[in-house]
Amino acid sequence: MAASERTALGPLVGAIDQGTSSSRFLVFNAKTAELLSHHQVEIQQKFPREGWVEQDPKEILNSVYECVERTCEKMKQLNINIANIRAIGVTNQRETTVVWDKTTGEPLYNAIVWLDLRTQSTVERLLKRIPGKNKTFSKFKTGLPLSTYFSAVKLRWLLDNVEEIRKAVEEKRAMFGTIDSWLIWSLTGGKNGGIHCTDVTNASRTMLFNIHSLEWDPELYGQAKNTYGTGCFLLCNTGQKSVFSEHGLITTIAYKMGRDKPVFYALEGSVAIAGAVVRWLRDNLGIARTSQEVEKLAADVGTSYGCYFVPAFSGLYAPYWEPSARGIICGLTQFTNKKHIAFAALEAVCFQTREILDAMNKDCGIPLSQLQVDGGMTNNKILMQLQSDILCIPVVKPSMPETTALGAAMAAGAAEGVGVWSLNPGDLTAVTCERFEPQINPEESEYRYARWKKAVMKSMGWETSDSPSNDLSSEVAGFLICHI
């Protein structure tokens, strides 16, 4: 692109993509949807106890600042005028909970990440107060089952266990929010008039928001596409009607494109551990130095050789909602090596997606003919081919995998008062895609899937909230290796 062309790009739109593993800032051309520049910073996860997952809210915020600064520097080097950025959208890890002091701008505790399991005893205590211990008692208001996954029980734990937060609440200094709220408040002034807000899609994941009235519900705890990233999230747009699952999925808000626009709903299946299993192989087991090396190990062997990996590090999410599950590797023999385990780890992501897709097909009544995918893990071609083989349908990957950030940019560019990005179908740029077709017969796929489900059953009931927390057995109990 010539320098004159770069300076005449027209309106640009940015997107902050704040995920569990990293933060990114991306800038798109609002006319062509071309990605012009971006920067990514990996962020640290803290594991202070077994089952606990935390992040430093200040580190998250600073990583966003760094991404914005580096991206703007790259744009200047490309002779692109950053003054043409008309709006910035935000897409973020959901459910992760932050409480901060509005007078100092400082977090009052680390962010409790959506993967965190410390609230299991809180969930069990709340269940005892519900007639019939019905885990789905709030589902018709929130679309969500009672689970450690969602923000309300994390907030309840913080109120019960962190004196500094209790005191801040009493003194009306405390602010609560998911990551989008923390970032927007900080980026719009913080303690000097920052805007404390969220949107209906993040609000719908707190267990405090009525997805029908689109309001915070005073009765909920009155006392107090498939995206492959750290986790894996498969959504099916159900239009303006909220559909309640009978097969373990949740009902959530997909989007609302303006104050006076209709709300659209989706069925969603959530897998806790997807890309995180590759990171675990790299950082915890040390069997590879990079994520790309894990892909190469799997490609070299081309089979798990009967080894099955259930990465239930944070219990099982959809469709089981079983917090007592823990990770297991089954079917080990003397022949098994790190290449087979790498293959089994990638296969596990695909099996979990298959379970959610099966549930979605039952709820919707119309089986999907193909699966559209996005996210960082879609760069792994072994994974994409495995996914097609296990689902027995084609998997379609766009040439530009960052469609989550692109969606946030499109929504920001089309917002009222901005209006630089047209969402009319005729104005949208065609997206080139790569297509993966099934390469194994359905009988083999069903056999492997059945073995996987057998392994899943063995992972359940492994942990309880009254398990000893300070002896050696509890430190190693979170990971079981067994033979089937």
Side-chain angles (χ1 to χ4, degrees):
M1 186 185 294
S4 60
E5 291 179 284
R6 294 195 197 107
T7 55
L9 286 171
L12 312 178
V13 180
I16 294 168
D17 184 351
Q18 203 301 297
T20 316
S21 302
S22 67
S23 298
R24 286 175 289 183
F25 183 63
L26 308 92
V27 176
F28 298 90
N29 184 328
K31 299 295 184 188
T32 65
E34 178 189 3
L35 175 60
L36 300 174
S37 183
H38 71 284
H39 190 78
Q40 178 172 350
V41 172
E42 194 166 295
I43 55 176
Q44 184 182 5
Q45 294 181 37
K46 304 171 188 286
F47 307 96
R49 295 190 194 176
E50 182 190 335
W52 291 31
V53 189
E54 298 178 358
Q55 289 179 324
D56 180 353
K58 293 296 288 287
E59 181 188 355
I60 291 173
L61 178 61
N62 289 333
S63 72
V64 170
Y65 283 136
E66 181 179 347
C67 288
V68 172
E69 289 172 6
R70 296 289 179 268
T71 301
C72 289
E73 287 171 6
K74 292 176 183 178
M75 290 173 66
K76 288 177 181 176
Q77 291 168 6
L78 293 169
N79 199 28
I80 299 173
N81 188 354
I82 62 174
N84 286 333
I85 298 176
R86 304 294 176 80
I88 295 175
V90 177
T91 178
N92 56 283
Q93 53 171 314
R94 301 166 300 174
E95 300 94 15
T96 296
T97 299
V98 186
V99 179
W100 65 96
D101 188 322
K102 68 179 181 181
T103 61
T104 65
E106 294 296 314
L108 293 169
Y109 194 80
N110 276 338
I112 300 183
V113 177
W114 57 276
L115 287 163
D116 189 279
L117 284 176
R118 77 186 68 190
T119 56
Q120 183 53 33
S121 60
T122 306
V123 169
E124 291 177 3
R125 190 170 71 249
L126 289 168
L127 273 175
K128 288 176 183 175
R129 292 161 53 185
I130 298 167
K133 296 185 178 180
N134 181 9
K135 205 179 279 189
T136 64
F137 84 105
S138 64
K139 197 168 182 180
F140 290 102
K141 282 193 173 186
T142 68
L144 312 174
L146 182 57
S147 167
T148 60
Y149 183 20
F150 306 110
S151 306
V153 289
K154 302 181 195 302
L155 181 59
R156 179 74 264 169
W157 186 92
L158 288 166
L159 291 168
D160 290 343
N161 292 278
V162 182
E163 176 61 33
E164 194 175 355
I165 288 180
R166 276 203 301 273
K167 186 177 179 185
V169 169
E170 289 168 4
E171 297 173 358
K172 302 189 184 308
R173 293 182 286 109
M175 281 188 164
F176 152 73
T178 43
I179 292 297
D180 60 313
S181 299
W182 163 242
L183 291 179
I184 292 170
W185 184 83
S186 300
L187 293 170
T188 56
K191 62 182 181 180
N192 299 313
I195 298 169
H196 189 210
C197 66
T198 188
D199 77 314
V200 292
T201 64
N202 277 288
S204 71
R205 310 306 288 249
T206 62
M207 285 190 70
L208 299 170
F209 189 75
N210 187 311
I211 62 172
H212 309 291
S213 66
L214 305 184
E215 295 175 340
W216 300 108
D217 195 306
E219 291 183 11
L220 296 169
Y221 298 116
Q223 296 185 358
K225 111 214 106 21
N226 199 20
T227 297
Y228 298 78
T230 300
C232 179
F233 309 94
L234 181 62
L235 289 94
C236 179
N237 188 328
T238 61
Q240 295 179 45
K241 179 183 179 183
S242 56
V243 175
F244 290 95
S245 173
E246 296 180 0
H247 300 93
L249 304 181
I250 63 175
T251 304
T252 194
I253 294 177
Y255 60 90
K256 188 176 186 291
M257 295 299 288
R259 192 183 305 273
D260 301 317
K261 302 291 185 181
V263 64
F264 284 75
Y265 295 90
L267 281 174
E268 178 176 329
S270 308
V271 171
I273 303 294
V277 74
V278 174
R279 194 171 178 173
W280 183 82
L281 291 176
R282 183 192 73 187
D283 297 345
N284 290 41
L285 290 195
I287 71 170
R289 291 184 296 275
T290 65
S291 300
Q292 291 75 21
E293 195 175 328
V294 172
E295 179 181 4
K296 185 178 183 304
L297 288 171
D300 285 346
V301 73
T303 177
S304 68
Y305 202 76
C307 173
Y308 290 87
F309 191 163
V310 182
F313 303 152
S314 297
L316 291 168
Y317 284 17
Y320 299 102
W321 299 106
E322 185 48 73
S324 70
R326 287 296 180 272
I328 66 171
I329 297 178
C330 297
L332 298 174
T333 71
Q334 286 181 313
F335 183 73
T336 307
N337 61 39
K338 65 180 182 180
K339 295 181 179 180
H340 300 117
I341 292 175
F343 191 95
L346 297 184
E347 206 172 33
V349 177
C350 303
F351 284 132
Q352 291 177 100
T353 302
R354 166 76 186 266
E355 289 191 302
I356 291 172
L357 193 64
D358 282 358
M360 200 163 278
N361 286 339
K362 290 173 184 173
D363 281 326
C364 295
I366 304 172
L368 287 180
S369 58
Q370 65 179 30
L371 179 67
Q372 295 177 312
V373 299
D374 72 347
M377 283 194 83
T378 60
N379 291 320
N380 187 322
K381 294 196 174 186
I382 295 293
L383 178 69
M384 294 296 96
Q385 186 57 57
L386 268 174
Q387 189 67 86
S388 179
D389 290 344
I390 289 166
L391 296 180
C392 301
I393 59 174
V395 168
V396 179
K397 171 201 162 190
S399 56
M400 203 281 286
E402 302 302 339
T403 53
T404 302
L406 176 59
M410 292 171 71
E416 197 175 317
V418 181
V420 298
W421 204 312
S422 171
L423 299 184
N424 294 325
D427 297 332
L428 298 178
T429 306
V431 178
T432 57
C433 295
E434 186 174 2
R435 190 177 177 91
F436 297 84
E437 300 280 352
Q439 293 183 357
I440 65 173
N441 62 57
E443 290 76 18
E444 181 183 347
S445 175
E446 290 301 321
Y447 173 78
R448 285 156 60 178
Y449 184 45
R451 298 278 284 180
W452 154 264
K453 291 184 80 69
K454 187 176 181 182
V456 169
M457 292 301 110
K458 289 183 177 291
S459 76
M460 293 186 187
W462 188 251
E463 196 64 67
T464 60
S465 61
D466 57 358
S467 298
S469 57
N470 9 0
D471 64 6
L472 179 61
S473 64
S474 74
E475 295 299 316
V476 299
F479 189 78
L480 164 69
I481 296 179
C482 65
H483 182 80
I484 58 173

